[in-house]
Amino acid sequence: MTHPINGLSHVKGSTARPLINATIPGFMAEVRRRHGDRMATVFTQSGERWTYNDLMRRVDRLAAGLLSIGVYKGDRVGIWSPNRSEWVLTQFATARIGAILVNINPSYQTAELGYALTHAGVSTLITAPRFRDSDYLAKLTTLVPELNTARPGHLHSDALPDLARVIQLPEAPAPGHPTPSQGAPGDIRPGAYSFDQVMSRGGDAPKARLDGITDALKPEDAINIQFTSGTTGRPKGATLSHRSIINNAISTARAMHLTPDDALCIPVPLYHCFGMVLGNLAAASYGAKMVFPGEGFDPLTTLKAIEAETCTAVHGVPTMFAAMLDHPEFSRFNLKSLRTGIMAGSPCPAPLMQRVMQDMHCDGITIGYGMTETSPISFQSAPDDAADRRVSTVGQVQPHVECRVVDETGQTVPTGQQGQLLTRGYLVMKGYWNDPEATAKAIQDGWMHTGDLATIDSHGYCKVTGRAGDMLIRGGENVYPAEIETLLMTHPDIAQAQVFGVPDPRLGEEVAAWIIPRAGASLTAATLVDWCKERIARFKVPKHIHFAQDMPLTATGKPQKFKMRESMCKTLGIPPTP
C-alpha cells in the first residue's frame, strides 16, 4: 500500500518491479514468442480471428509494404478510421519501422481533419471510406481535390503540402453480416493506394530490412501523437514514446490481474489511449485475447460479444456501462464470465459502479484515472480494494509514478485537502507536438499539470473532484459539479446526470443539470429540486433542469458539457457567456 509522504498529499508508486526498457516491436516479439499460438484478436463485425502469430505476420507485411512506398522512421502516419482490424495492424506496423502514428478522431469534420494533418505534418494517411453518416472520402477530397487525379504515391496538394500518400481501407461489412474477408474493395480514389495493395507489396525484400530498422529504434523515441479534445481551443498533439505506453499498459494489466486465459472486450475507440494502450497493449502484455464488438460502440453488439467470446474483462466509459445496463435486452445475456476491466474517461458515479459489480457480475472492475498526456493512467483501483474504496475513489498511484495535490501557490496540501493534481514520471508525454509554448505551460520541473481537482487521503487513495475549469461560482460560493452529479446518480429515477454552470445576471452563474431519466420514471423538476434540498446546501441545488433522452458525447463517450450549456442557454434565452 502506498502512503502519503509526511502527511501531505504526495504519493510515490512502488518501484519493486523495474520498468521495461523496450520498443513496441521488441516488446511484441517477446509477446509472440510466449503466446504465438494463442488467440490474439477477434473482430466480430468482420469475422476475422487471428492468433498472435497471425497478427504479427500481418503486421510485418504491412510494415514492409509501408517501407516499399516510402514510409520511414520519424514519418507521421495518420489513421482516420473506426475500430477495424486494419487499425490494429497499423498501430503495430508503424511502430515496427519507427514511424509516428497520428491518431485522428473518427468524428472529425473537414476543418478539424485539415488542422490535424497540417499540424502533425502527416505524410501518409490511412483512411476508412466512411463511418456511420460521415463520408470520409468526400471530406478528404474537399481538402485534397488532387486525390481524384494524382497517381498513388505522387500526391501533391496545395492545401496539405506534407501529404504525399493516401491509403484507402475497403468498405466494412455490414454489422450482423460478418464475412471472412475485409469487405468489398469500394471505389478507390485514383490518387490512393488500396490497403490490400500496400499489404501485397510487403514481400521478401522489404521484409528483410525490418529487423535492422527495428534494432536502431530507441525506447524513448516518439511513436504516437494523440490530439486532445480541443474543447477550449485548438487540439494539441500529445506525443508519447514506446517506453511510456508499454509500461503504462503493463501496469494497468497487472492491476486487473490479467492472464493469458483472459479475454478483454474493447468497445472503446482505438484512436484514444483507452483503446490502443489500456486495451490492445495491455491485453498483449499478458497474451490475452482482444475482442472488438464493432466499428463503434453499440450496447447490444457489445453485450453479444461479451457472451459469445466468454469475455472476462470489459473496458468502457461510464456512459457505455450505463447504456448496456439500461438496454431493454440486458437481462437475456449471460455475463457471468466477466471478472474485471476498467471504467474511466469521466467521473464514475458510485451507484453505476455498484450496478456493474452486481448486475454485470464484474466484481473485479477497476476505476482508472489519467489523461492522454500521461500515457494515460496514473491512478487505478485494485480488484481486491474494499468496495467503498472502489466506488468512491480512483484507487492508488501506479508503479513508478509520483503525484501530488497543490494549492494555487504550488504548495503541496495536507492529505484530504482539495487542489490541483500534478503527475511526474516515465508516463509524462514528451510534449505537445510542435507547440513548445503549450508544453512549457503544461509541464513544469517534470510535473504535468493535469488541470483536475483532487484529494488524496491518508491511505493514498485519490478522489477526483472535478476539473478546475468546471468549477462554477454562484454568488461567491464555489460549486463543484462532480459533487452534485454524484448525488443525482443516487436518485432511483436518474440514469445519467451532468451538472454545469449557466450565466446569471444576479449571481454570476447558476447551477444547471442535464438529466436522463430511467425508463418509465415520472420525475419532474420540482420534485427533483425538493429531493436535492434535503441532501445538499441550497446554493448547490440545480435551478435549471433539462430532461433528455440522450446527451452530446465525444467519440470516446465523454459528455460534452459545453454543448449542453449552449443548448440550455439557447432554451433559456440567455447569452452563453456571462
Side-chain angles (χ1 to χ4, degrees):
M1 181 176 288
T2 302
H3 290 284
I5 299 170
N6 298 326
L8 297 175
S9 299
H10 187 175
V11 289
K12 293 183 178 181
S14 170
T15 57
R17 288 177 179 263
L19 291 169
I20 303 297
N21 198 41
T23 63
I24 291 172
F27 175 70
M28 290 303 295
E30 179 63 16
V31 169
R32 182 179 183 179
R33 187 187 69 79
R34 293 185 181 188
H35 307 292
D37 292 331
R38 288 187 174 273
M39 188 59 61
T41 57
V42 175
F43 299 88
T44 61
Q45 186 168 325
S46 65
E48 295 160 290
R49 305 177 70 89
W50 301 334
T51 65
Y52 277 97
N53 280 328
D54 295 332
L55 171 65
M56 298 316 296
R57 277 194 292 267
R58 286 170 168 81
V59 166
D60 279 1
R61 277 182 61 198
L62 178 56
L66 290 172
L67 278 178
S68 76
I69 64 172
V71 179
Y72 305 117
K73 177 185 177 182
D75 287 350
R76 272 78 71 202
V77 177
I79 182 162
W80 193 29
S81 167
N83 287 11
R84 296 179 49 158
S85 59
E86 297 93 345
W87 211 112
V88 179
L89 295 179
T90 301
Q91 175 182 350
F92 294 115
T94 49
R96 182 79 159 98
I97 58 176
I100 299 173
L101 183 67
V102 180
N103 300 10
I104 298 173
N105 190 323
S107 66
Y108 268 5
Q109 299 302 311
T110 305
E112 296 164 310
L113 172 66
Y115 175 80
L117 296 176
T118 301
H119 185 74
V122 169
S123 63
T124 303
L125 175 65
I126 300 174
T127 180
R130 60 187 50 81
F131 176 50
R132 292 177 174 160
D133 61 352
S134 184
D135 189 332
Y136 286 6
L137 290 177
K139 291 178 171 61
L140 182 58
T141 51
T142 297
L143 288 170
V144 190
E146 297 88 350
L147 194 60
N148 286 324
T149 56
R151 289 186 297 119
H154 297 273
L155 191 62
H156 299 284
S157 168
D158 293 334
L160 300 173
D162 293 318
L163 187 64
R165 292 165 291 272
V166 170
I167 301 170
Q168 186 176 326
L169 304 186
E171 296 283 354
H177 298 83
T179 62
S181 70
Q182 296 186 31
D187 180 20
I188 303 295
R189 293 296 190 269
Y193 294 103
S194 73
F195 189 83
D196 287 344
Q197 277 181 307
V198 177
M199 289 287 282
S200 68
R201 294 177 66 130
D204 291 342
K207 276 184 184 176
R209 299 164 55 195
L210 290 178
D211 288 345
I213 292 170
T214 294
D215 290 345
L217 303 180
K218 299 177 181 177
E220 61 271 20
D221 287 344
I223 200 62
N224 184 218
I225 296 173
Q226 301 212 11
F227 283 96
T228 59
S229 60
T231 56
T232 57
R234 284 289 195 182
K236 299 184 289 290
T239 306
L240 309 176
S241 68
H242 294 266
R243 184 172 181 264
S244 67
I245 62 178
I246 286 173
N247 284 286
N248 208 257
I250 292 170
S251 290
T252 53
R254 284 176 179 158
M256 291 184 285
H257 302 168
L258 283 190
T259 73
D261 295 324
D262 280 310
L264 172 60
C265 185
I266 307 174
V268 294
L270 291 174
Y271 89 89
H272 191 268
C273 269
F274 203 166
M276 67 168 283
V277 178
L278 309 185
N280 296 356
L281 275 174
S285 68
Y286 279 87
K289 178 172 71 173
M290 307 167 234
V291 178
F292 302 93
E295 288 195 308
F297 173 70
D298 176 82
L300 185 59
T301 56
T302 303
L303 291 167
K304 287 179 179 178
I306 292 171
E307 182 180 63
E309 297 297 329
T310 322
C311 291
T312 57
V314 58
H315 286 353
V317 298
T319 51
M320 290 180 177
F321 283 99
M324 286 188 280
L325 284 160
D326 293 333
H327 194 277
E329 298 185 44
F330 174 78
S331 61
R332 79 174 175 90
F333 291 98
N334 181 354
L335 308 180
K336 291 184 179 179
S337 61
L338 282 177
R339 174 181 63 81
T340 187
I342 299 174
M343 192 191 307
S346 61
C348 306
L352 177 61
M353 179 72 163
Q354 290 165 337
R355 291 179 68 201
V356 170
M357 293 168 66
Q358 179 176 331
D359 298 344
M360 294 184 75
H361 308 284
C362 205
D363 57 357
I365 190 75
T366 68
I367 295 290
Y369 163 80
M371 59 193 308
T372 303
E373 290 89 338
T374 56
S375 305
I377 292 291
S378 51
F379 282 89
Q380 189 175 359
S381 62
D384 54 0
D385 276 339
D388 62 329
R389 295 284 191 192
R390 284 197 283 154
V391 300
S392 63
T393 76
V394 294
Q396 294 186 303
V397 70
Q398 283 274 29
H400 297 275
V401 178
E402 184 177 5
C403 291
R404 61 192 180 104
V405 177
V406 301
D407 60 20
E408 293 179 355
T409 68
Q411 296 300 306
T412 305
V413 301
T415 55
Q417 287 191 20
Q418 179 177 267
Q420 183 185 177
L421 184 65
L422 310 186
T423 304
R424 184 165 69 177
Y426 77 88
L427 73 175
V428 174
M429 66 176 178
K430 296 178 73 69
Y432 290 118
W433 185 266
N434 199 26
D435 197 340
E437 184 177 339
T439 300
K441 183 177 180 181
I443 305 173
Q444 298 172 26
D445 296 325
W447 291 98
M448 179 71 208
H449 288 57
T450 69
D452 285 321
L453 299 172
T455 61
I456 295 176
D457 68 21
S458 58
H459 297 284
Y461 286 87
C462 178
K463 180 180 292 186
V464 178
T465 54
R467 288 287 295 171
D470 280 352
M471 185 191 79
L472 61 108
I473 303 176
R474 180 192 180 278
E477 297 278 6
N478 291 352
V479 179
Y480 298 96
E483 176 189 1
I484 306 170
E485 290 163 358
T486 299
L487 171 69
L488 290 172
M489 287 300 296
T490 66
H491 194 291
D493 290 337
I494 293 178
Q496 296 181 50
Q498 293 295 316
V499 174
F500 45 90
V502 296
D504 183 86
R506 185 173 66 88
L507 298 170
E509 288 183 282
E510 261 294 3
V511 183
W514 188 288
I515 305 292
I516 298 180
R518 294 199 185 284
S522 57
L523 194 61
T524 67
T527 57
L528 182 56
V529 166
D530 289 341
W531 183 85
C532 289
K533 285 179 178 177
E534 295 176 0
R535 292 164 174 81
I536 52 174
R538 292 296 179 98
F539 69 86
K540 300 176 185 177
V541 174
K543 179 180 179 181
H544 305 295
I545 296 174
H546 174 70
F547 294 105
Q549 295 302 310
D550 54 23
M551 62 179 60
L553 303 172
T554 66
T556 55
K558 294 183 182 180
Q560 293 178 303
K561 289 190 178 183
F562 74 99
K563 287 190 176 180
M564 297 180 218
R565 186 173 186 263
E566 289 171 358
S567 177
M568 285 191 70
C569 286
K570 185 176 180 180
T571 301
L572 295 168
I574 57 177
T577 54

Coordinates of all heavy atoms in Angstrom, one line a residue, residues 5 10-13 19 248 371 373-374 377-379 397-404 412 421-429 442-450:
I5 N 3.4 11.0 1.8 CA 4.7 11.4 2.4 C 4.5 12.6 3.4 O 4.0 13.6 3.0 CB 5.7 11.8 1.3 CG1 5.9 10.7 0.3 CG2 7.0 12.3 1.9 CD1 6.7 11.1 -1.0
H10 N 1.0 13.7 -1.3 CA 2.2 13.4 -2.1 C 2.4 11.9 -2.0 O 2.7 11.4 -1.0 CB 3.4 14.2 -1.7 CG 4.5 14.1 -2.6 ND1 5.7 14.9 -2.4 CD2 4.8 13.4 -3.7 CE1 6.6 14.6 -3.4 NE2 6.0 13.7 -4.2
V11 N 2.3 11.2 -3.2 CA 2.5 9.8 -3.2 C 3.4 9.4 -4.3 O 3.5 10.0 -5.3 CB 1.1 9.0 -3.3 CG1 0.3 9.2 -2.1 CG2 0.4 9.6 -4.5
K12 N 4.1 8.3 -4.0 CA 5.0 7.7 -5.0 C 4.7 6.2 -5.1 O 4.6 5.5 -4.1 CB 6.5 7.9 -4.6 CG 7.0 9.3 -4.6 CD 8.5 9.3 -4.2 CE 9.0 10.8 -4.2 NZ 10.5 10.8 -3.9
G13 N 4.6 5.8 -6.4 CA 4.3 4.4 -6.6 C 5.5 3.4 -6.4 O 6.6 3.9 -6.4
L19 N 10.9 -0.9 -14.6 CA 10.3 -0.6 -15.8 C 10.9 -1.4 -17.0 O 12.1 -1.8 -16.9 CB 10.5 0.9 -16.1 CG 9.7 1.9 -15.2 CD1 10.2 3.3 -15.5 CD2 8.2 1.8 -15.4
N248 N 2.9 1.7 -19.2 CA 1.5 2.0 -18.7 C 0.6 0.9 -19.0 O -0.2 0.5 -18.1 CB 1.0 3.3 -19.4 CG 0.0 4.0 -18.5 OD1 -1.2 3.9 -18.7 ND2 0.5 4.7 -17.4
M371 N -4.8 10.8 -18.1 CA -5.1 11.7 -19.2 C -4.2 11.3 -20.4 O -3.2 10.6 -20.2 CB -4.9 13.2 -18.8 CG -3.5 13.5 -18.3 SD -3.3 15.1 -17.5 CE -3.9 16.2 -18.6
E373 N -2.0 12.9 -21.9 CA -0.7 13.4 -21.7 C 0.1 12.5 -20.8 O 1.4 12.7 -20.7 CB -0.7 14.8 -21.2 CG -1.2 15.8 -22.2 CD -2.7 16.1 -22.2 OE1 -3.4 15.2 -21.8 OE2 -3.1 17.1 -22.7
T374 N -0.5 11.6 -20.1 CA 0.2 10.7 -19.1 C 0.0 9.2 -19.5 O 0.0 8.4 -18.7 CB -0.2 10.9 -17.7 OG1 -1.6 10.7 -17.5 CG2 0.2 12.3 -17.2
I377 N -2.8 6.3 -17.8 CA -3.2 6.0 -16.4 C -2.2 6.4 -15.3 O -1.0 5.9 -15.4 CB -3.7 4.6 -16.2 CG1 -4.9 4.3 -17.0 CG2 -3.9 4.2 -14.8 CD1 -6.2 5.0 -16.5
S378 N -2.6 7.1 -14.3 CA -1.7 7.4 -13.2 C -2.2 6.8 -11.9 O -1.5 6.5 -11.0 CB -1.5 8.9 -13.0 OG -2.7 9.6 -13.0
F379 N -3.6 6.7 -11.7 CA -4.2 6.0 -10.6 C -5.1 4.9 -11.0 O -5.8 5.1 -12.1 CB -5.0 7.0 -9.7 CG -4.2 8.0 -8.9 CD1 -3.8 9.2 -9.4 CD2 -3.9 7.6 -7.6 CE1 -3.0 10.1 -8.6 CE2 -3.2 8.5 -6.8 CZ -2.7 9.7 -7.3
V397 N -1.8 5.3 -6.5 CA -0.9 5.7 -7.6 C -0.3 4.4 -8.2 O 0.0 3.4 -7.6 CB 0.2 6.6 -7.1 CG1 1.2 5.9 -6.1 CG2 0.9 7.4 -8.2
Q398 N 0.0 4.5 -9.5 CA 0.6 3.4 -10.3 C 2.1 3.3 -10.0 O 2.7 4.3 -9.6 CB 0.4 3.6 -11.8 CG -1.0 3.3 -12.3 CD -1.2 1.9 -12.6 OE1 -0.5 1.0 -12.1 NE2 -2.1 1.6 -13.6
P399 N 2.7 2.1 -10.2 CA 4.1 1.9 -10.0 C 4.9 3.0 -10.8 O 4.5 3.3 -12.0 CB 4.4 0.5 -10.5 CG 3.1 -0.2 -10.3 CD 2.0 0.8 -10.6
H400 N 6.0 3.4 -10.3 CA 6.9 4.3 -10.9 C 6.3 5.7 -11.3 O 6.8 6.4 -12.2 CB 7.6 3.7 -12.2 CG 8.4 2.5 -11.9 ND1 9.7 2.5 -11.6 CD2 8.0 1.2 -11.9 CE1 10.2 1.3 -11.4 NE2 9.2 0.5 -11.5
V401 N 5.2 6.0 -10.6 CA 4.5 7.3 -10.8 C 4.5 8.1 -9.5 O 4.3 7.5 -8.4 CB 3.1 7.1 -11.3 CG1 2.4 8.4 -11.6 CG2 3.1 6.3 -12.6
E402 N 4.7 9.4 -9.6 CA 4.6 10.3 -8.5 C 3.6 11.3 -8.7 O 3.5 11.9 -9.8 CB 6.0 10.9 -8.3 CG 6.2 11.8 -7.1 CD 7.6 12.4 -7.0 OE1 8.4 12.2 -7.9 OE2 7.8 13.1 -6.0
C403 N 2.7 11.5 -7.7 CA 1.6 12.5 -7.8 C 1.5 13.3 -6.5 O 1.8 12.8 -5.4 CB 0.3 11.8 -8.1 SG 0.1 11.1 -9.7
R404 N 1.1 14.6 -6.7 CA 0.8 15.4 -5.5 C -0.3 16.4 -5.8 O -0.6 16.7 -7.0 CB 2.1 16.1 -5.0 CG 2.7 17.1 -6.0 CD 4.1 17.5 -5.5 NE 4.7 18.4 -6.5 CZ 4.8 19.8 -6.3 NH1 4.4 20.3 -5.2 NH2 5.4 20.5 -7.2
T412 N 2.3 21.8 -1.8 CA 1.6 20.6 -1.6 C 0.7 20.7 -0.4 O 1.1 21.1 0.7 CB 2.6 19.4 -1.4 OG1 3.5 19.3 -2.5 CG2 1.8 18.1 -1.3
L421 N -4.2 18.4 -9.2 CA -3.3 17.2 -9.2 C -2.2 17.3 -10.2 O -2.4 17.7 -11.4 CB -4.2 16.0 -9.6 CG -3.5 14.6 -9.5 CD1 -3.1 14.2 -8.1 CD2 -4.4 13.5 -10.1
L422 N -1.0 17.0 -9.8 CA 0.2 17.0 -10.6 C 0.8 15.6 -10.7 O 0.7 14.9 -9.8 CB 1.3 18.0 -10.1 CG 0.9 19.4 -9.7 CD1 2.2 20.2 -9.3 CD2 0.2 20.1 -10.8
T423 N 1.4 15.3 -11.9 CA 1.9 13.9 -12.1 C 3.3 14.0 -12.7 O 3.6 14.8 -13.5 CB 1.0 13.2 -13.1 OG1 -0.4 13.2 -12.6 CG2 1.4 11.7 -13.3
R424 N 4.2 13.1 -12.2 CA 5.5 13.1 -12.7 C 6.0 11.6 -12.9 O 5.5 10.7 -12.2 CB 6.5 13.8 -11.7 CG 7.9 13.9 -12.2 CD 8.7 14.9 -11.4 NE 8.9 14.5 -10.0 CZ 9.6 15.2 -9.2 NH1 10.1 16.4 -9.5 NH2 9.8 14.8 -7.9
G425 N 6.8 11.4 -13.9 CA 7.4 10.0 -14.0 C 7.5 9.6 -15.5 O 7.4 10.5 -16.4
Y426 N 7.8 8.3 -15.8 CA 8.0 7.8 -17.1 C 6.9 8.1 -18.0 O 7.0 8.2 -19.3 CB 8.3 6.3 -17.1 CG 7.0 5.6 -16.9 CD1 6.2 5.2 -18.0 CD2 6.5 5.3 -15.6 CE1 5.0 4.5 -17.8 CE2 5.3 4.6 -15.4 CZ 4.6 4.2 -16.5 OH 3.4 3.6 -16.4
L427 N 5.6 8.2 -17.5 CA 4.4 8.2 -18.2 C 4.1 9.6 -18.8 O 3.2 9.7 -19.7 CB 3.2 7.8 -17.4 CG 2.7 8.7 -16.3 CD1 1.4 8.1 -15.7 CD2 3.7 9.1 -15.3
V428 N 4.8 10.7 -18.4 CA 4.5 12.0 -18.9 C 5.0 12.1 -20.3 O 6.1 11.7 -20.7 CB 5.2 13.1 -18.0 CG1 5.0 14.5 -18.6 CG2 4.6 13.1 -16.6
M429 N 4.1 12.7 -21.1 CA 4.4 12.9 -22.6 C 5.7 13.6 -22.8 O 6.3 14.3 -22.0 CB 3.3 13.7 -23.3 CG 3.2 15.1 -22.8 SD 2.0 16.1 -23.7 CE 2.1 17.7 -22.8
A442 N 2.3 23.3 -19.6 CA 1.7 22.1 -19.0 C 2.7 21.3 -18.1 O 2.3 20.7 -17.1 CB 1.2 21.2 -20.1
I443 N 4.0 21.3 -18.5 CA 5.0 20.5 -17.8 C 6.0 21.5 -17.2 O 6.7 22.2 -17.9 CB 5.7 19.5 -18.7 CG1 4.7 18.6 -19.4 CG2 6.7 18.7 -17.9 CD1 5.3 17.7 -20.5
Q444 N 6.1 21.5 -15.9 CA 7.0 22.4 -15.2 C 7.8 21.6 -14.2 O 7.2 20.9 -13.3 CB 6.2 23.5 -14.5 CG 5.4 24.4 -15.4 CD 4.5 25.4 -14.7 OE1 4.7 25.8 -13.6 NE2 3.4 25.8 -15.4
D445 N 9.1 21.6 -14.3 CA 10.0 20.8 -13.5 C 9.7 19.3 -13.5 O 9.8 18.6 -12.5 CB 10.0 21.3 -12.0 CG 10.5 22.7 -11.9 OD1 11.5 23.1 -12.7 OD2 10.0 23.5 -11.1
G446 N 9.2 18.9 -14.7 CA 8.9 17.5 -14.9 C 7.4 17.1 -14.5 O 7.0 16.0 -14.7
W447 N 6.7 18.1 -13.8 CA 5.4 17.8 -13.3 C 4.3 18.2 -14.4 O 4.3 19.3 -14.8 CB 5.1 18.6 -12.1 CG 5.9 18.2 -10.8 CD1 7.0 18.7 -10.3 CD2 5.5 17.1 -10.0 NE1 7.4 18.0 -9.2 CE2 6.5 17.0 -9.0 CE3 4.5 16.1 -9.9 CZ2 6.5 16.1 -8.0 CZ3 4.5 15.2 -8.9 CH2 5.5 15.2 -7.9
M448 N 3.5 17.2 -14.7 CA 2.4 17.5 -15.6 C 1.2 18.1 -14.8 O 0.8 17.5 -13.9 CB 1.9 16.2 -16.3 CG 0.7 16.4 -17.2 SD 1.2 17.3 -18.7 CE -0.4 18.0 -19.2
H449 N 0.8 19.3 -15.2 CA -0.3 20.0 -14.5 C -1.6 19.5 -15.2 O -1.9 19.8 -16.3 CB -0.2 21.5 -14.6 CG 0.9 22.0 -13.7 ND1 2.3 21.6 -13.8 CD2 0.9 22.9 -12.7 CE1 3.0 22.3 -12.9 NE2 2.2 23.1 -12.2
T450 N -2.3 18.6 -14.5 CA -3.5 18.0 -15.1 C -4.7 18.9 -15.3 O -5.5 18.6 -16.2 CB -3.9 16.8 -14.2 OG1 -4.5 17.3 -13.0 CG2 -2.8 15.8 -13.9

